[in-house]
Structures are given as C-alpha cells and as structure tokens.
Amino acid sequence: MKTFFWVLIPITSIPRSADHKMALRMVARNLRRKILPSFTLAYMLHSHATSFGFQEVPEEVKSKMVGNVFTSVASNYDVMNDLMSAGLHRLWKERLVSKLNPFPGMKHLDVAGGTGFLLFNASCSLQSIGDVAFRIIESINRARRRALQDMAEDNLRQETRISVCDINPNMLNVGQMRAQERGLGEDGSLVWVEGDAEALNFEDNSVDGYTIAFGIRNVTHIEKVLSETHRVLNKGGRFLCLELSHVENPAFKQLYDHYSFSVIPAIGELVAGDRNSYQYLVESIRKFPSQEIFASMIAEAGFQKVEYENLVGGVAAVHSGFKF
C-alpha cells in the first residue's frame, strides 16, 4: 500500500523538509484509514462468498437456497431427470453401481440420495422409479441368492446396512415412500438419515463404500465433503461420485449449452412449474470444477488410485478413489 500512495505523488513535488515529510505521513495515514477498511471489508465478503449458480452469495445463505430448490423439485425430481437426460441418468447410475461391486454384509453410505433412485438394479424398467441405494440393495440381493445358503443369508441380511443420507427431508420422504412401496429395507438393511455431507454423523472408518450422485456440486465446501468421505470410509473403501460435468468437444459443447440454457429451464417450467430451480441446476453444472481439477481435489483429500470416466462426451463423469 505504501508504494500505491507514493506513486500518486509526483517525484518533483516530494517535500524535502522534516515538517513537510511529517505532514505527508499524516496525509497518507488518513488515506489508509479511509481506504483500507473498505478494501478489507470487500476482501472479507469475497473470501466468504460462494456460487449459487452464476450468483455470488454468502456461504451461510447457500445451503438454505439449495434446500429451497430441492424442496421445490422433490416431487418431480425423477420425472424431470428422465426428461432432461432422455433416461440416460439411469444408465449412468447403473455404471456407478457396477463400479462399486456391492456385496452381502456391506456397510454403505449413499449421500444426497434422498429419493433413493441410485438403489434400483438394472432389471428395473425405464418406468420404475428408485435410486442408488435401491440399486445397491438389489445388487446385493442378487449376489446373496447366487452364493449363500439360507442360514448364512439370514445372518448376512442383518449385517448389510445401506444408509441414505440427505440434507433435505422432502427428498428423504419421497425415497422412503418408494422403498415402502417396493418392500425394500423391511429387514433393517436400509436406513434413512437426515444429515449434512459436510459434517456427517457417522463414525470414523465405519462404511465400506460411499456414493454421491448429482449432489456434490450443490454443497458449499466440496473439500469438506471429500474430507468427511475419507474419514468415514474403512481402509480399502471406495468413493464414487457421479456428477454432471464439462463437455470438451467444441461443436458438441455448443449444442449442449443451447439445450441446457434454452430447453431444460423451459421443461422445468412446463412440467414442474418451476423455471428458476432448473435454471440454477444448469448454472451449477457450469460452476462445478472440471474433471481434472475435481480429480486433483479428490487426491488432495487423501484418496489413492483416483480416476474418472467421462460419459456421453463429458456430459457426466464417474469419479473414483480408494482409501488405503
């Protein structure tokens, strides 16, 4: 800052006497008192701001704003996903679960999985509604039927625990109703938890796998989510994240951007009566880190064998890392 003030004063006008130098220092001090507080305030506001789509909002406000979005879209969430992705999101989730390779007796945590969609298996028709947790349970059930005898099966059923954690109670309610309709989790293998991905209410080294689909871009601090993920995973546990990502091919990107910003909000308004929420969802994708940057964040959180797989040219990507 001293250099800044001296630059404003022509060299030929620099005072030579001690009195003039003292006066100059007083002027500079008064200027600093006026300028620095506003500069510091702007810096603090910026340092505690985060993105809500293309908007910059205070960190403490974002969580509530995101919550309002998902409260608004909860009842139409899966229908809109089908419309926006032409059903591709189901195949992407199948890919995620296939990488997880669930097994009987598994302790698994599915975060931001409120509607339960990731839990259904590949045998579900495109008209069926479920989520990651449903798919994992069905995959475990198939493995159990293939490999276990009746008595061992009963024992392992009690040990299997799939926890679905979501910060939004409306999303959880939708998932719980769908699970009940399908008779899933009646044996206690499916647990619904209202919680924050940035501060999980799970013990250290307590789960074998962790999945999060289309959720991590909505959190305030991605690095906190990754740190919590690493904390709760057992050694040898795997982190898997499915997220809408960045298209690299210029021609495809132009088409994809037009579809995202022109078509998706219009579908949201037509089907769900909510254009603004889907405008946010589109914008949040563009603000999410690129595949390479997000992979580096996963590695910095302590994960090893970090990799990602682009789906449909980068429209979505599955990120993976292990805790050793």
Side-chain angles (χ1 to χ4, degrees), residues 52-55 64-77 80-81 84 168 171 217-218 244 260-261 263-285:
F52 177 78
F54 289 161
Q55 302 177 52
K64 183 177 180 179
M65 294 177 73
V66 171
N68 290 339
V69 167
F70 283 93
T71 296
S72 174
V73 305
S75 60
N76 295 296
Y77 185 74
M80 283 297 299
N81 280 347
M84 291 186 297
N168 190 296
M171 298 288 280
R217 76 178 187 278
N218 297 309
L244 296 167
S260 297
F261 289 101
V263 178
I264 289 179
I267 294 176
E269 184 173 20
L270 180 64
V271 177
D274 187 351
R275 184 184 187 90
N276 291 338
S277 291
Y278 289 93
Q279 182 70 32
Y280 157 74
L281 293 175
V282 169
E283 293 176 2
S284 69
I285 299 168

Side-chain angles (χ1 to χ4, degrees), residues 33-70:
R33 286 174 180 171
K34 293 179 180 179
I35 295 175
L36 283 178
S38 61
F39 173 81
T40 303
L41 177 61
Y43 174 78
M44 289 177 63
L45 288 174
H46 177 72
S47 67
H48 293 284
T50 186
S51 64
F52 177 78
F54 289 161
Q55 302 177 52
E56 289 294 316
V57 299
E59 289 182 346
E60 60 272 18
V61 173
K62 178 175 179 176
S63 179
K64 183 177 180 179
M65 294 177 73
V66 171
N68 290 339
V69 167
F70 283 93

Side-chain angles (χ1 to χ4, degrees), residues 230 233-238 302-306 321-324:
H230 194 272
L233 274 172
N234 288 322
K235 288 186 176 180
R238 190 173 191 180
F303 289 95
Q304 300 181 38
K305 296 183 67 176
V306 175
F322 289 87
K323 175 181 176 180
F324 292 129

